[in-house]
């Protein structure tokens, strides 16, 4: 079976996105190797500084699991001929365009030089929950919609500028928040576990579905949730099915 190799130059939002990705892909007969290079809160500027310094500061996470190994971006690039390489801005800086440059451009140029065969992509991060206590939420006047609109504009602008495909996680999460089950203002379940990181089940599952739909298209349809059997009840399965359908609709309607 062909193995699709996905490298994420990431942070905790990359960790959320990749937690279920490998296991969920297997349910559709899609075999993946998914590596997230983890530094909590890592910004594009720090990613670039780490490239410059060949810093072995990243925790190497394989298929959604920590390994305890520390690597540099150079180590990871040399490990495989990656099919997909994905990065994102730190969540707190996502709404401020001046934090993307010149680092996004330098990173894009570097990746295209070092791994020209790989498809380089951006993950659109998501806005914080309406009641988030994150210190940086004040930069957006503690307004979820303001944060979402600002980060969305920036991600789409940067993706267009560098000819990159965008994994629209922010759009999917914001669309789900309009559903009664996940509308916190009306007593729904938060898709965040702490006001900004994803809920361990629903939020992380939504991200995995979004990545699969965007990367693999209709091949990712008709996902089985059997791998979640030990952590999900029948009510969960109904919500997971709804999440998957919305994630696919958002991705495939773009």
């Amino acid at each position: 079976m062909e193995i699709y190799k996905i490298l994420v130059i990431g942070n905790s939002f990359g960790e959320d996105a990749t937690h279920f990705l490998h296991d969920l892909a297997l349910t559709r007969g899609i075999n993946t190797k998914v590596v997230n290079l983890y530094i909590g809160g890592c910004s594009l500027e720090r990613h670039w500084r780490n490239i410059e310094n060949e810093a072995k500061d990243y925790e190497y996470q394989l298929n959604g699991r920590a390994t305890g190994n520390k690597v540099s971006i150079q180590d990871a690039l040399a490990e495989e001929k990656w099919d997909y390489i994905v990065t994102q801005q730190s969540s707190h800086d996502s709404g401020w365009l001046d934090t993307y440059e010149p680092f996004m451009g330098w990173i894009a140029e570097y990746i295209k030089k070092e791994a020209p065969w790989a498809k380089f992509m951006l993950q659109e991060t998501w806005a914080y929950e309406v009641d988030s206590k994150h210190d940086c939420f004040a930069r957006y006047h503690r307004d979820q919609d303001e944060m979402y609109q600002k980060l969305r504009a920036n991600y789409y602008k940067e993706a267009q500028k560098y000819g990159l495909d965008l994994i629209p996680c922010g759009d999917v999460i914001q669309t789900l928040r309009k559903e009664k089950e996940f509308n916190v203002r009306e007593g729904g379940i938060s898709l965040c576990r702490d006001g900004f990181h994803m809920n361990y089940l629903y939020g992380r599952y939504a991200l995995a579905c979004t990545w699969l739909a965007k990367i693999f298209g209709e091949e990712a349809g008709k996902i089985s949730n059997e791998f979640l059997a030990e952590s999900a009840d029948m009510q969960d399965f109904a919500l997971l099915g709804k999440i998957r359908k919305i994630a696919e609709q958002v991705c495939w309607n773009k």
Side-chain angles (χ1 to χ4, degrees):
M1 182 187 296
E2 182 177 4
I3 301 177
Y4 295 92
K5 302 175 183 70
I6 303 170
L7 174 66
V8 185
I9 301 172
N11 50 35
S12 59
F13 279 34
E15 180 179 49
D16 278 341
T18 57
H19 183 76
F20 286 138
L21 184 57
H22 170 77
D23 292 336
L24 193 59
L26 280 179
T27 69
R28 286 299 298 138
I30 301 170
N31 197 8
T32 60
K33 176 180 179 178
V34 181
V35 170
N36 181 52
L37 302 183
Y38 170 83
I39 296 174
C42 196
S43 66
L44 290 170
E45 178 175 4
R46 185 172 179 186
H47 287 314
W48 176 250
R49 302 304 180 201
N50 288 343
I51 289 171
E52 286 187 309
N53 298 322
E54 299 188 18
K56 293 181 180 290
D57 288 350
Y58 294 91
E59 177 185 311
Y60 183 97
Q61 299 176 340
L62 176 63
N63 295 338
R65 305 293 182 269
T67 66
N69 296 331
K70 288 282 191 172
V71 300
S72 66
I73 290 175
Q74 284 82 0
D75 293 333
L77 288 174
E79 180 180 277
E80 296 281 5
K81 188 172 182 179
W82 300 98
D83 298 295
Y84 302 92
I85 299 175
V86 185
T87 195
Q88 70 274 301
Q89 179 58 295
S90 55
S91 64
H92 50 277
D93 285 336
S94 61
W96 301 91
L97 188 60
D98 59 353
T99 68
Y100 288 73
E101 297 296 352
F103 314 107
M104 185 69 243
W106 291 344
I107 293 170
E109 182 179 10
Y110 177 80
I111 295 299
K112 289 177 180 179
K113 177 183 177 182
E114 297 298 318
W117 51 81
K119 186 168 188 177
F120 186 40
M121 305 177 75
L122 278 176
Q123 172 182 221
E124 178 199 29
T125 55
W126 49 92
Y128 298 161
E129 191 52 89
V130 292
D131 56 358
S132 177
K133 300 300 189 294
H134 195 295
D135 290 344
C136 292
F137 199 26
R139 298 171 72 185
Y140 305 93
H141 306 100
R142 300 203 173 275
D143 185 318
Q144 182 186 90
D145 189 62
E146 177 183 334
M147 185 175 185
Y148 168 63
Q149 294 298 336
K150 284 186 173 181
L151 71 84
R152 186 179 191 276
N154 292 341
Y155 273 109
Y156 277 80
K157 185 175 293 184
E158 292 293 280
Q160 183 178 34
K161 182 176 182 179
Y162 296 107
L164 307 177
D165 277 358
L166 188 68
I167 304 173
C169 291
D171 295 343
V172 168
I173 295 303
Q174 206 64 18
T175 300
L176 285 168
R177 284 169 169 162
K178 297 175 184 177
E179 301 295 317
K180 62 180 181 180
E181 294 91 345
F182 302 112
N183 188 328
V184 172
R185 290 188 178 94
E186 297 181 5
I189 301 166
S190 177
L191 287 167
C192 295
R193 64 182 185 267
D194 56 5
F196 49 103
H197 292 111
M198 285 283 95
N199 173 294
Y200 285 122
L201 178 58
Y202 303 120
R204 285 182 164 184
Y205 179 81
L207 302 186
C209 289
T210 304
W211 280 55
L212 280 179
K214 185 63 181 181
I215 293 174
F216 297 106
E218 294 187 10
E219 292 297 317
K222 299 180 181 178
I223 293 168
S224 166
N225 298 321
E226 291 179 3
F227 77 99
L228 293 170
E230 294 182 0
S231 60
D233 57 27
M234 292 307 294
Q235 181 181 4
D236 289 330
F237 282 125
L239 286 180
L240 293 174
K242 185 171 188 175
I243 288 170
R244 177 179 62 80
K245 290 178 182 176
I246 288 174
E248 291 173 354
Q249 287 170 0
V250 171
C251 288
W252 297 346
N253 288 340
K254 290 191 176 297

